[in-house]
Amino acid sequence: MGDNEHDVNRSARSGQFVKDSTVEREPSKTTTEHVGGDTDEGRAVNRSASSGKFVKEATVERHPDTTETQQI
């Protein structure tokens, strides 16, 4: 991995960042994402700005002020 590439863990329910130990205890309730690296080859994901949960493109279009799109 490059200098800015790394994995992050999130709660699948809340979207909050969680520790590796939480992933080990509750693998079905967490997700691990690979972030950073060359953004030209990455993909965009949409999240609710308030909850951190993933949202669909249609939600972003309806609520642009309360959602964010990020490259992963």
Side-chain angles (χ1 to χ4, degrees), residues 1-58:
M1 287 192 270
D3 290 342
N4 63 345
E5 291 181 75
H6 59 282
D7 291 330
V8 293
N9 305 312
R10 290 186 181 266
S11 163
R13 181 172 175 235
S14 69
Q16 301 265 333
F17 290 105
V18 296
K19 297 178 182 179
D20 289 336
S21 59
T22 304
V23 175
E24 292 173 12
R25 275 193 320 276
E26 301 174 350
S28 65
K29 296 179 182 179
T30 56
T31 182
T32 300
E33 304 168 17
H34 182 76
V35 297
D38 187 2
T39 58
D40 290 341
E41 296 180 24
R43 64 184 174 99
V45 294
N46 304 307
R47 292 187 184 276
S48 164
S50 61
S51 70
K53 293 182 181 181
F54 290 105
V55 296
K56 296 180 179 181
E57 185 66 33

Side-chain angles (χ1 to χ4, degrees), residues 42-46 69-72:
R43 64 184 174 99
V45 294
N46 304 307
T69 299
Q70 65 185 137
Q71 292 293 120
I72 60 168

